[in-house]
């Protein structure tokens, strides 16, 4: 069987094991107030790692797709130019990644690795990535009223795509291996045999958590249908667009957004580094072309774009996953209350003629 | 396990000569420094495709490939608009820059075998069309009539003049030039591109014909109207879309419109497809 249990006080030892095996480990910490964040674990901070806490706004996506990433170094002198690509192969584990964010990484895999062109930067990092998923079970801490993973069908317990999955059963945690790499860790003595009672307890707890979600149903699939067949009126898009302040927040907190821009910077004399940086379709410069022509001038054209790209059936089919994982972050950060759940609701109302 | 190719890595190329084309537009003849890269590229590229050009330290931009694969020579025609294109305009023979590609779907000329071809270009819209005009004439027996209509604001706005002079003498192709405003030396037609269709010596019909149209948005709209009056259907009209592009390989997201990534699903689309994509030209 691919499941074990681990005593509550031993859970953080998984981090020690991974570090001993050569992984850099990123884990969630609490900052001040509501602030929570993923950071690299060191000897100094390792006791401050939190298993249950509000999911950090800045998604762990950045460990496979850094916000700013150097792609290559270019050296030019009289003898010509030399292009030296740089990929990162440091083994890295993310401890405490939530199910929605696991689904985000699954989406990135589909997008960056499954098409005609493979993204080598993403591939190298992904090959060296180890995911320790934590199922959201602490109703006070893990879940907030914006979470809609149940509607997006990504949580609260991921069905795969992790290496290990932890679930809090009280005195013990249940550990499920999702890959050979994960199962290999079961050789360590902290992992004990699980029995039928544990499995039953897991089922019970999960059922309870499911009941605790505020957003259990959503018109997600109805929204996909509406958007795909062009059934949303220009007026509705304008209503949504009028509420957007073009801060870009929604895209920067999104675990499934993939867009980037590329820029050259001079690093040393005669040396250039080419970097890529997350970009946002919310910003007007995103599509502006030479001569100032912008095919998406109006704000609502840009918002329309974001939701179309995420919900249109064509793309869902192409990537075999939806570019929205139900984490609720965009709803939390948006000043205009037009995160995904709200937009789905607006679309539903508009189609019902309300 | 096979090693994944780095799709973002530009390959060093060297500039061989630079020709002033028109104001702010130059043609840059170049070759890859690595011979095998040069061969690979020449074997691979098709009319209507583009490449990503790196001017190190100034950035990377998409540029159409105006040569036809039948010419065995590589060049770009580039208008100076911003930082990377301006830096390229400063370059002289011997300068090293980077190229990767070829990218995009191209015009797929084989699919028009046996048909009449009409090329309509305005200004620098001729850059992507040049490739398939030269290709069509190099494979002359493959196609029916070939007609070229090319207009610019003024005579010094017409690019690739030696080529048109040669075509005007040729029996293989009808070549019609026009300018919006003539100067003292211009003895040719005056008027917008569409006005050429009504010239007495022009006999343009839509039957078994496909029209390739590239140019600024205003010109594009008028030419479409004129072609439709002549009976062309939306799927008989073909064009290329230009979008802000950062990667050329379907990853950065900038060029995505409707359900298409212009860099991989395009840049060549029928007018019918363009209408379905639902964004301005
Ligand atoms: C498929 C394709 C083929 C093209 N072929 C040619 C060609 O053969 N010859 C040619 O001269 N130009 C061509 N262009 C346009 C050319 O890519 C832009 O002019 C160029 O990217 C501007 O780069 P820059 O660094 O000089 O400008 P920047 O300093 O980056 O910007 C100057 C202005 O240009 C805009 N711009 C930046 N990048 C692009 C872009 N990729 N497309 C459109 N506008 C942009 C900016 O928003 C700004 O308004 C093509 C574009 C596409 C998409
Ligand atoms: S977070 Fe809201 S206001 Fe900010 S760009 Fe996104 S939709 Fe617009
Ligand atoms: S140019 Fe990057 S996705 Fe098309």
């Amino acid at each position: 069987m691919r499941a074990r249990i681990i005593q509550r006080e031993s859970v953080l030892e998984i981090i020690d094991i991974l570090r001993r095996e050569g992984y850099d480990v990123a884990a969630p910490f609490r900052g001040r107030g509501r602030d929570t964040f993923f950071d690299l674990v060191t000897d100094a901070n390792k006791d401050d790692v939190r298993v249950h806490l509000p999911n950090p706004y800045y998604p762990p996506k950045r460990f496979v797709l850094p916000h700013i990433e150097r792609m290559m170094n270019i050296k030019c002198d009289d003898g010509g130019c030399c292009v030296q690509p740089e990929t990162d192969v440091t083994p890295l584990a993310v401890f405490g990644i939530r199910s929605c964010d696991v689904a985000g990484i699954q989406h990135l895999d589909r997008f960056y690795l499954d098409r005609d062109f493979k993204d080598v930067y993403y591939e190298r990092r992904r090959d060296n990535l180890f995911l320790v998923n934590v199922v959201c079970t602490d109703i006070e801490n893990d879940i907030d009223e914006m979470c809609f993973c149940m509607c997006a069908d990504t949580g609260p317990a991921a069905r795969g795509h992790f290496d290990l999955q932890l679930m809090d059963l009280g005195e013990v945690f249940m550990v499920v291996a999702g890959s050979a790499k994960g199962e290999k860790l079961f050789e360590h003595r902290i992992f004990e045999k699980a029995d039928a009672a544990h499995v039953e307890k897991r089922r019970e707890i999960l059922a309870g958590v499911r009941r605790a979600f505020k957003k259990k149903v959503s018109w997600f699939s109805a929204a996909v249908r509406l958007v795909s067949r062009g059934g949303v009126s220009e007026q509705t898009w304008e209503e949504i667009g009028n509420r957007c302040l073009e801060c870009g927040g929604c895209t920067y907190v999104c675990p499934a957004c993939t867009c980037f821009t590329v820029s050259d910077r001079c690093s040393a004399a005669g040396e250039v580094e080419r970097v890529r940086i997350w970009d946002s379709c919310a910003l007007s410069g995103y599509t502006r072309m030479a001569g100032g022509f912008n095919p998406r001038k109006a704000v609502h054209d840009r918002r329309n774009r974001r939701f179309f790209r995420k919900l249109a059936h064509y793309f869902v089919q192409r990537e075999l996953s939806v570019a929205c994982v139900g984490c609720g972050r965009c709803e939390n950060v948006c000043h205009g209350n037009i995160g995904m759940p709200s937009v789905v609701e607006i679309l539903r109302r508009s189609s019902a003629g309300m | 396990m096979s090693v994944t190719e780095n799709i973002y890595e530009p390959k060093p190329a060297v500039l061989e000569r630079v020709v002033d084309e028109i104001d702010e537009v130059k043609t840059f003849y170049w070759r890859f420094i690595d011979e095998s890269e040069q061969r690979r590229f020449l074997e691979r590229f098709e009319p209507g495709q583009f490449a990503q050009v790196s001017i190190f330290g100034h950035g990377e931009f998409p540029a159409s490939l105006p040569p036809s694969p039948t010419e065995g020579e590589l060049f770009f025609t580039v208008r100076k608009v911003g930082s990377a294109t301006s830096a390229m305009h400063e370059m002289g023979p011997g300068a090293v820059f980077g190229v990767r590609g070829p990218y995009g779907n191209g015009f797929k000329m084989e699919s028009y075998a046996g048909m009449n071809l009409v090329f309509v270009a305005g200004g620098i819209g001729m850059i992507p069309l040049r490739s398939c005009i030269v290709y069509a004439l190099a494979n002359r027996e493959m196609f029916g009539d070939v007609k070229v209509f090319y207009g610019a604001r003024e005579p010094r706005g017409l690019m690739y003049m030696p080529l048109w002079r040669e075509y005007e003498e040729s029996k293989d192709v009808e070549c019609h030039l026009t300018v919006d405003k003539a100067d003292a030396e211009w003895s040719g037609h005056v008027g917008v591109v569409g006005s050429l269709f009504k010239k007495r010596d022009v006999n343009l019909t839509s039957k078994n014909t496909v029209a390739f149209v590239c140019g600024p948005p205003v010109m594009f709209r008028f030419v479409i109207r004129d072609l439709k009056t002549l009976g062309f259907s939306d799927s008989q009209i073909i064009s290329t879309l230009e979008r802000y592009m950062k990667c050329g390989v379907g990853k950065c997201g900038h060029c995505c419109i409707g359900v298409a990534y212009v860099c991989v699903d395009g840049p060549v689309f029928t007018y019918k497809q363009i209408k379905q994509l639902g964004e301005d030209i």
Side-chain angles (χ1 to χ4, degrees), chain A residues 288-290, chain B residues 61-62 64 77 79 81-85 242-243 245:
Chain A
R288 190 179 51 232
M289 296 196 293
Chain B
F61 63 92
S64 309
T77 300
R79 186 165 61 124
V81 297
S83 59
T85 49
E242 201 182 312
R243 280 294 176 273
M245 288 187 179

Side-chain angles (χ1 to χ4, degrees), chain A residues 260, chain B residues 50 52 244-256 261-264:
Chain A
F260 60 83
Chain B
F50 67 96
Q52 288 285 116
Y244 190 95
M245 288 187 179
K246 278 296 172 190
C247 73
V249 288
K251 301 293 183 221
C252 76
H254 284 86
C255 71
C256 191
Y261 278 76
V262 175
C263 65
V264 286

